[in-house]
Amino acid sequence: MKVLVIGGGGREHALAWKLAQSPKVQMIYVAPGNGGTARDKRLVNVPISDVQELRAWALAEKIGLTVVGPEAPLAAGVVDEFRAHGLRVFGPTKAAAQLESSKAFSKAFMKRHGIPTAEYDTFSDPVAAHAYVEKMGAPIVVKADGLAAGKGVVVAMTAAEAHEAIDFMLLDNKLGVSHNEGGARVVIEEFLQGEEASFIVLCDGKNVVALATSQDHKRLLDADQGPNTGGMGAYSPAPVVTPAVHARAMREIILPTIKGMEKDGIPYTGFLYAGLMIDGSGAPKTLEFNCRMGDPETQPIMMRLKTDLVDVMLAATDGKLDQVELDWDRRIALGVVMAAHGYPMNPRKGDVITGLPADTDEGVVFHAGTTLKDGQVQVTGGRVLCVTALGDTTRQAQQRAYELAQGIRFDGMQYRRDIGYRAIKS
């Protein structure tokens, strides 16, 4: 079988790496791919991003399965386009992907279906938004409504920070957010206390299978300091998601979401990522939905998955996820993101990367913002690599990942030195 993975980040490299382990696979294509997928002899990069052009290519190549990685092609309707031409594709339709592509849609959906989340309001008028912050006070959260590559959220600890974020998102739109109704819009919501976790499931429209739990590190600097990013590292499993929390998340958030989407006439298929905030009593609330796997959570999750991912994807696209049981490596996987100079606001491109170690059974360097040019691996994006390792304990996985990272060099590289600290502390 020929398989296509759409996307070019670390998530897509990890998905392609895992899919390539299946004996059912003849060839794995990655569109557009990156420097890491270009170096892997089992993978072939396809330099196509346009949805219709990619669909025509997939038909011509007789692609048997397509897995969509990032949010932008989903929001552009790639699943609708592929399905309309009889291609087997795993991901949500354009309408279902609004759970991620529009914060306003997502919050209204949760309110309508009684799914626990933060109190909020939506604004396109800066004056009204500023007045709301004055009324509610800080800390408070300001979110750009639309796709912002994981950087459209400001957790404002002071009213001044919130006012600045409103101007930044509504007046300047420096994030380049792709808004859903033409104009800039923000969602402002209450600040939730607790510990975050990533809860990712597979959906086939009716049935749901949970992936291993994970925890991301959103802030740029150690001890959760600095600006929000797309994610600076992750590990799996997440101790904060106890069996009781897991059961509540499924019962109170995931299953009502799948049933609610079906009730609204928008059946949900694909990966569904619920960003959870878990309070001291173990009660989860939904921070956000993503209509894809998380990045960098995918990398450690794929390192732990023992089940053939092609079998899982085929069952999911046949509506047979109720027949799937996933097998997991009992070890902990931990990934450290190495980011470019100037990330997250002004990442520098073109720096040459050296010292990349060979992959082993216990450690893999997944590529994100890289390209292979004249035999050299170069930086092309903000988050460049995710150095991922397995260990019997979180501390051992952490130690192995940082040992792998030590030999890697590129000018201006940034990475946190404390990924996994919450699990080690607990």
Side-chain angles (χ1 to χ4, degrees):
M1 177 189 290
K2 293 181 179 179
V3 177
L4 169 64
V5 176
I6 297 178
R11 165 185 46 235
E12 291 76 42
H13 188 183
L15 288 168
W17 171 85
K18 185 64 193 173
L19 288 162
Q21 294 169 16
S22 173
K24 296 179 176 65
V25 166
Q26 172 192 347
M27 183 65 73
I28 303 267
Y29 298 96
V30 191
N34 58 41
T37 53
R39 295 170 88 219
D40 190 325
K41 291 179 172 56
R42 301 168 303 170
L43 312 176
V44 176
N45 284 356
V46 178
I48 303 173
S49 296
D50 178 77
V51 166
Q52 292 187 330
E53 192 182 339
L54 198 54
R55 180 264 302 156
W57 177 89
L59 282 170
E61 286 292 328
K62 297 182 170 55
I63 298 297
L65 169 69
T66 298
V67 180
V68 188
E71 61 274 25
L74 294 170
V78 69
V79 170
D80 311 66
E81 180 71 19
F82 273 50
R83 280 187 187 164
H85 290 82
L87 290 162
R88 182 192 289 263
V89 58
F90 186 66
T93 61
K94 182 176 182 177
Q98 288 180 96
L99 274 178
E100 175 173 8
S101 65
S102 171
K103 297 280 193 300
F105 173 91
S106 176
K107 295 294 282 192
F109 171 85
M110 285 188 269
K111 190 173 184 178
R112 191 164 64 248
H113 292 285
I115 296 161
T117 188
E119 291 298 318
Y120 78 103
D121 210 337
T122 305
F123 302 92
S124 52
D125 174 18
V127 175
H130 287 304
Y132 185 76
V133 167
E134 286 300 316
K135 177 181 151 192
M136 303 305 290
I140 198 164
V141 181
V142 184
K143 297 181 176 180
D145 180 36
L147 300 179
K151 297 188 286 288
V153 177
V154 173
V155 181
M157 301 312 291
T158 66
E161 285 181 274
H163 291 308
E164 184 183 1
I166 289 164
D167 287 341
F168 187 76
M169 293 177 191
L170 284 183
L171 299 177
D172 304 332
N173 192 21
K174 285 180 182 169
L175 292 170
V177 174
S178 120
H179 296 287
N180 296 281
E181 292 180 2
R185 194 163 53 173
V186 294
V187 170
I188 305 178
E189 60 184 40
E190 70 170 317
F191 173 79
L192 296 177
Q193 295 274 13
E195 192 169 340
E196 286 189 50
S198 306
F199 201 95
I200 307 171
V201 300
L202 302 158
C203 314
D204 65 11
K206 287 184 182 294
N207 304 299
V208 177
V209 173
L211 295 175
T213 60
S214 55
Q215 191 168 61
D216 187 10
H217 299 61
K218 284 291 185 193
R219 299 283 186 161
L220 180 69
L221 307 174
D222 287 6
D224 295 324
Q225 301 297 306
N228 251 0
T229 71
M232 293 301 294
Y235 57 91
S236 172
V240 69
V241 185
T242 62
V245 170
H246 193 286
R248 285 192 70 170
M250 286 294 286
R251 185 176 68 247
E252 298 173 16
I253 294 169
I254 300 297
L255 294 176
T257 298
I258 300 307
K259 287 173 184 168
M261 291 294 278
E262 191 177 15
K263 188 177 176 183
D264 290 354
I266 317 170
Y268 192 94
T269 57
F271 296 110
L272 180 65
Y273 168 127
L276 304 182
M277 181 67 82
I278 301 157
D279 69 16
S281 69
K285 283 190 175 180
T286 316
L287 292 170
E288 64 176 355
F289 283 121
N290 291 330
C291 296
R292 53 186 164 87
M293 286 194 74
D295 187 347
E297 295 96 330
T298 306
Q299 292 88 313
I301 289 172
M302 287 298 112
M303 285 283 284
R304 292 187 61 222
L305 181 64
K306 294 171 82 173
T307 310
D308 187 321
L309 186 58
V310 170
D311 286 343
V312 177
M313 295 288 96
L314 293 177
T317 48
D318 282 339
K320 295 178 180 177
L321 275 178
D322 54 332
Q323 300 173 24
V324 167
E325 197 166 321
L326 301 179
D327 187 21
W328 298 99
D329 193 311
R330 59 171 181 76
R331 291 174 292 176
I332 285 89
L334 184 143
V336 177
V337 168
M338 306 186 81
H341 174 82
Y343 179 76
M345 294 314 294
N346 297 294
R348 187 172 69 202
K349 300 179 181 180
D351 290 310
V352 175
I353 305 164
T354 59
L356 288 165
D359 292 348
T360 69
D361 290 341
E362 293 181 337
V364 178
V365 179
F366 294 108
H367 289 234
T370 70
T371 190
L372 190 61
K373 189 175 180 182
D374 301 326
Q376 291 183 321
V377 181
Q378 296 183 9
V379 173
T380 60
R383 289 183 299 162
V384 180
L385 305 167
C386 184
V387 184
T388 313
L390 288 162
D392 289 326
T393 63
T394 309
R395 192 177 291 282
Q396 188 183 67
Q398 183 192 59
Q399 188 177 345
R400 283 180 177 159
Y402 281 109
E403 282 172 2
L404 285 172
Q406 273 180 354
I408 300 170
R409 292 281 179 272
F410 57 92
D411 286 346
M413 66 182 185
Q414 311 178 68
Y415 62 93
R416 284 179 57 159
R417 268 73 175 175
D418 66 345
I419 301 302
Y421 77 91
R422 284 198 191 91
I424 291 168
K425 190 170 67 175
S426 69

